């Protein structure tokens, strides 16, 4: 029994991610030592402080990743989250301009604009949820492809090809979201503790509540879950709403990271980063599985990979993206291999029990 528990623990996806992270750390440290042995100066960039700081670019779509986890856990796909974030941010800028022109300035204008941004993101998710639950003959990817084009086109309708820029002190408060703060003697992105708090809420929801188990049950078998009395369409709708809301939150942090400038083509392709982080974290397009802790580990792996390949090996960002793609391919293949190994062990154990009984 203890052996079976140990095997089950060692084959958990989070354990694989931790091993992968440890191997990456080992390789990068050996590379740094090799550089020193060859007479080059020690970079000494691979430490906790630098890794945490380098997570800042990946924190920009971390909230979007949390929303994407819900969609993947149900076995669906939403490729419109990047466009929904763009539309939310465009509405943020247009609303702020309109309020300041009308004479409402300062913090009230910013708060109302942020509320409009979050509302639009939620409405984008609600539109996706409505279409997915009402037109079941269409794949969610096709539906969200259409809404992606709609959201992006509506953004261009609002501001065209111009760039909205803001240089007043109130709007510049958003820049603080991309700054660094001191925690336990380490400079960490302001986004990091906020993300960890929100991720803790998602962890509690998905893994420790009945509603979270229903989400995974929908991904395992939606029809059987429906016949079990679960309101599948209701849960799906609100999961898409939450995904849209998280996209809007991502947009707010993005504005802070881009010096308060807004265009209609921003965050193009962000949905792919969110999908990549969620899949590497253990979620699957087949639905029914995944781990919030795994998604957090995947973001750390991306940060470690960026600082290691970029600083120690001198690779460009395109090479980093290539490495992420390779890891994603492995993350799809390895679970299938592990499942086959588990099935083989289960069959062998069953045969042993039958032989002993005979």
């Amino acid at each position: 029994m203890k052996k079976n528990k140990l095997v089950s623990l060692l084959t958990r996806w989070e354990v694989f991610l931790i091993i992968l992270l440890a191997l990456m750390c080992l390789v990068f440290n050996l590379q740094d030592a090799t550089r020193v042995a060859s007479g080059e100066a020690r970079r000494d960039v691979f430490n906790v402080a630098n890794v945490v700081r380098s997570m800042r670019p990946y924190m920009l779509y971390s909230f979007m990743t949390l929303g994407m986890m819900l969609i993947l856990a149900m076995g669906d796909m939403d490729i419109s989250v990047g466009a929904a974030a763009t539309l939310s941010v465009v509405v943020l800028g247009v609303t702020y301009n309109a309020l300041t022109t009308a004479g409402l300035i300062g913090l009230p204008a910013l708060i109302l604009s942020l509320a409009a941004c979050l509302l639009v993101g939620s409405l984008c998710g609600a539109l996706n949820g409505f279409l997915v639950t009402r037109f079941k003959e269409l794949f969610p990817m096709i539906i969200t492809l259409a809404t992606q084009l709609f959201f992006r086109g509506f953004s261009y309708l609002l501001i065209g090809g111009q760039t909205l820029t803001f240089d007043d002190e109130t709007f510049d408060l958003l820049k603080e979201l991309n700054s660094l703060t001191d925690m336990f003697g380490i400079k960490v992105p302001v986004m990091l503790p906020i993300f960890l708090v929100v991720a803790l809420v998602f962890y509690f929801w998905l893994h420790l509540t009945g509603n979270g188990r229903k989400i995974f049950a929908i991904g395992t078998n939606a029809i059987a879950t429906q016949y079990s009395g679960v309101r599948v369409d209701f849960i799906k709708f609100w999961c898409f709403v939450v995904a849209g809301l998280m996209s809007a939150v991502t947009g707010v942090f993005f504005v802070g990271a881009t010096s308060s400038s807004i265009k209609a083509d921003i965050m193009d392709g962000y949905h792919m980063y969110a999908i990549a982080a969620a899949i590497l974290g253990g979620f699957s397009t087949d639905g029914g599985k995944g781990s919030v802790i795994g998604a957090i580990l995947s973001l750390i792996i991306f940060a470690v990979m960026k600082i290691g390949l970029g600083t120690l090996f001198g690779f460009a960002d395109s090479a980093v993206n290539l490495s992420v793609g390779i890891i994603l391919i492995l993350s799809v293949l390895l679970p299938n291999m592990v499942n086959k190994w588990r099935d083989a062990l289960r069959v062998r154990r069953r045969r042993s029990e039958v032989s002993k009984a005979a």
Side-chain angles (χ1 to χ4, degrees):
M1 184 65 68
K2 290 183 179 180
K3 182 179 178 181
N4 294 337
K5 289 183 178 180
L6 180 60
V7 171
S8 177
L9 176 63
L10 292 178
T11 54
R12 288 183 63 88
W13 186 250
E14 296 90 336
V15 175
F16 164 74
L17 292 178
I18 293 174
I19 294 174
L20 175 61
L21 183 59
L23 288 176
M24 290 174 58
C25 294
L26 178 61
V27 170
F28 293 145
N29 277 318
L30 289 176
Q31 172 64 14
D32 205 10
T34 303
R35 290 171 56 87
V36 174
S38 62
E40 298 183 40
R42 183 177 180 85
R43 291 292 179 88
D44 195 26
V45 294
F46 196 70
N47 52 59
V48 175
N50 284 321
V51 168
V52 172
R53 271 200 305 271
S54 65
M55 287 188 65
R56 185 158 43 171
Y58 297 101
M59 296 308 300
L60 289 179
Y61 55 82
S62 58
F63 296 93
M64 192 180 292
T65 301
L66 294 177
M68 187 61 67
M69 292 187 319
L70 300 178
I71 307 302
L72 291 174
M74 296 186 299
D76 292 331
M77 179 66 71
D78 186 355
I79 60 175
S80 71
V81 288
T86 301
L87 179 57
S88 302
V89 169
V90 168
V91 170
L92 166 65
V94 170
T95 303
Y96 190 80
N97 271 340
L99 291 176
T100 52
T101 302
L104 183 63
I105 60 176
L107 200 57
L110 181 60
I111 292 175
L112 289 175
S113 301
L114 289 173
C117 172
L118 299 179
L119 176 62
V120 168
S122 301
L123 290 176
C124 290
L127 176 61
N128 286 331
F130 173 79
L131 294 176
V132 168
T133 55
R134 289 296 178 268
F135 299 95
K136 295 183 176 64
E137 66 275 11
L138 297 176
F139 290 110
M141 180 180 290
I142 302 301
I143 292 175
T144 54
L145 173 62
T147 55
Q148 178 192 44
L149 298 175
F150 174 77
F151 298 152
R152 189 73 66 178
F154 200 75
S155 300
Y156 276 101
L157 263 180
L158 289 176
I159 62 174
Q162 62 178 314
T163 301
L164 300 180
T165 56
F166 306 90
D167 56 2
D168 60 277
E169 295 181 358
T170 302
F171 203 88
D172 282 347
L173 291 174
L174 295 180
K175 294 181 181 179
E176 297 298 322
L177 297 175
N178 194 51
S179 62
L180 296 172
T181 184
D182 187 70
M183 290 184 64
F184 309 108
I186 301 176
K187 294 291 185 181
V188 301
V190 172
M191 288 180 282
L192 182 58
I194 299 174
F195 167 74
L196 291 178
V197 170
V198 178
L200 181 62
V201 174
F202 272 78
Y203 177 85
F204 180 82
W205 177 22
L206 277 177
H207 300 299
L208 301 177
T209 67
N211 284 330
R213 288 189 287 272
K214 289 176 183 178
I215 292 174
F216 285 113
I218 292 172
T220 302
N221 192 324
I223 297 177
T225 305
Q226 180 80 43
Y227 283 122
S228 299
V230 177
R231 301 169 63 186
V232 172
D233 289 346
F234 178 82
I235 294 175
K236 277 195 173 188
F237 175 82
W238 284 106
C239 283
F240 275 96
V241 171
V242 173
L245 176 62
M246 290 295 102
S247 300
V249 173
T250 296
V252 173
F253 284 100
F254 182 87
V255 174
T258 55
S259 301
S260 305
S261 61
I262 298 172
K263 295 192 296 183
D265 59 351
I266 57 176
M267 288 180 281
D268 187 21
Y270 261 49
H271 62 284
M272 297 306 299
Y273 292 109
I275 293 171
I279 290 179
L280 181 58
F283 289 85
S284 170
T285 53
D286 292 333
K289 60 182 179 180
S291 167
V292 177
I293 295 177
I296 297 174
L297 288 172
S298 69
L299 292 170
I300 299 174
I301 288 173
F302 286 168
V304 170
M305 187 182 303
K306 181 177 179 63
I307 190 173
L309 295 180
T311 306
L312 296 177
F313 285 89
F315 290 168
D317 286 342
S318 57
V320 177
N321 293 334
L322 174 64
S323 303
V324 171
I326 294 174
I327 288 181
L328 283 177
I329 293 174
L330 292 176
S331 69
V332 173
L333 293 177
L334 284 177
N336 293 331
M337 296 172 61
V338 170
N339 288 335
K340 288 183 178 179
W341 181 48
R342 281 179 173 174
D343 292 340
L345 288 177
R346 191 180 300 112
V347 171
R348 186 182 305 172
R349 187 168 57 249
R350 182 60 180 165
R351 287 176 177 173
S352 176
E353 292 173 356
V354 171
S355 63
K356 287 180 180 180

